[in-house]
Amino acid sequence: MSLKTKILIINIFSIFIITLGIALEIKFVLTQNLEDRLILRTSNMASILSDSIIEPLLSNNVYLTHQILTQYKENNSEVGYIDILSNQNEVLSSTFSNGFPKELYLLQISKTESNVAVFSSEMGKFIDVKYPIADGSLGYIHIGVTEREVGQRIQEIMEKILFLSFFINLLASLLLYKLTNTITANLKKLTLYAKNIALGNKVLEPIIKTNDEVRELFISFKHMLKALERSSKEEIQLITKLKDEEIKRELLKRTMETLEKERKRLSMEIHDSVMQNLASINIMLKIFQSKLDQKEKLDLENIQKLIEATIEELRNIANNLRPPQLEKLGLKSSLESFFNETEKRHNLKTNFDFSISEEKLDWTWSINIYRIIQEAISNIVKHSGANNAFVSIKEINDKIEIEVKDDGEGFDVDETLSKKSNRLGIVDMKERTKTYGGEFFISSTKGGGTIVKISLPKPKNDDIG
């Protein structure tokens, strides 16, 4: 069952529950109101009837009294019976042809201050209205009316309410389906786009037609990609134009530092701007969720999981742009975190050996080593098909020795370096190594895995800061 179908079912069920509650409340209020009106109408009837039987009662004309009561009962369909009791609780006259019911007699002679009594019988529910004849000197008249008319009226009203609620439910369901379809479709497009960008795949930009937070999120993401692409192109153009190696390395070093600053800015923009837009979407869903029944709220978690997956992808991109642990916890912890994340996402297990002192490594050296290893692991994930990687960082003879191995398929190094489209990762590692006065070596055989070795001189005092 799709997410949109689940939300539609939740909406229909919720509106049904709400409508049912409202209908029951309306039914209760209408019943009270119609019963009050029925009692008032019966009291008026009793008042008129009592005036018309005073003379027959005074003349002790039982036959005429019975005829008047019977005629009133026949002319009023809601009247079930009419009887007259004396002050000594004697039945003077009634419309009952088969004897006066004992239960009704006991009810009418019971001492009560109320002139209205409700009771049930085989014929249904009755309201017994008591009214004095000649201010009670000649006894009391009792009229029993049924609630059939009240029930029929309430049934008609309830049918109209349920009929109207059906159309309201249908309209709300259509609007909700359209809204949910728009949100989920755009989020899926954006999530897939972010995943492909993170993996380095070239894909067409998704078409986001809505003018909401999702579109703002996409625009911010697109601006970030363009800024990174522009910075990379400018870096490559400047490097290729320079022939002097020393100037070239110095400029490359400064370019890398500038690029790292730009990555930091973009990483902060993702956290502070892009993710805020996603938070707005989440708030919108929570507002809708609060309108549902408590038991149904859990079914909206699929949309929130989709948002969380998008946030997770953006967080990974932001972390790749600027590893947060590097400044706080150092190079070793940052690499361990990176290896753990790679194992979770790509099932590549990394055996890590770190045996150098980080005290002399400032941010520039740490991020440079981090980027080299990050690129090496990225190449393993994309091209090697390896299950295991082996990374070691050691200090030997005043040099930092880095080695990255894998048990993958291997490749022809010369053939790969001859293809510009496939050698950018290797070139990046090599140029970074040379920029800091190091040596770069790569070897690989088909079916025998790949080894990348990097030797960097320990940073001097003037390299730190």
Side-chain angles (χ1 to χ4, degrees), residues 231-243:
S231 298
S232 299
K233 287 182 179 179
E234 291 175 356
E235 176 187 355
I236 294 173
Q237 290 174 356
L238 287 173
I239 292 173
T240 53
K241 289 180 180 179
L242 293 173
K243 297 181 179 180

Side-chain angles (χ1 to χ4, degrees), residues 53-104:
I53 62 174
I54 291 177
E55 185 176 344
L57 287 175
L58 289 174
S59 62
N60 199 23
N61 191 338
V62 177
Y63 177 77
L64 180 58
T65 303
H66 177 76
Q67 287 295 105
I68 295 174
L69 297 184
T70 302
Q71 185 179 359
Y72 258 82
K73 178 180 178 298
E74 292 175 351
N75 292 337
N76 295 276
S77 59
E78 71 271 18
V79 176
Y81 63 86
I82 305 175
D83 63 86
I84 301 172
L85 295 183
S86 68
N87 290 326
Q88 289 74 34
N89 294 325
E90 296 177 358
V91 179
L92 301 179
S93 182
S94 75
T95 57
F96 292 103
S97 58
N98 297 324
F100 199 87
K102 183 179 179 181
E103 293 181 357
L104 179 60

Side-chain angles (χ1 to χ4, degrees), residues 77 138 147 219 262 273 276 287 318 330 367 388 395 405 435 437:
S77 59
L138 298 179
E147 292 189 334
I219 292 174
E262 179 65 11
S273 177
Q276 288 296 325
I287 292 173
I367 191 62
N388 298 281
E395 183 176 337
K405 298 190 297 183
T435 299

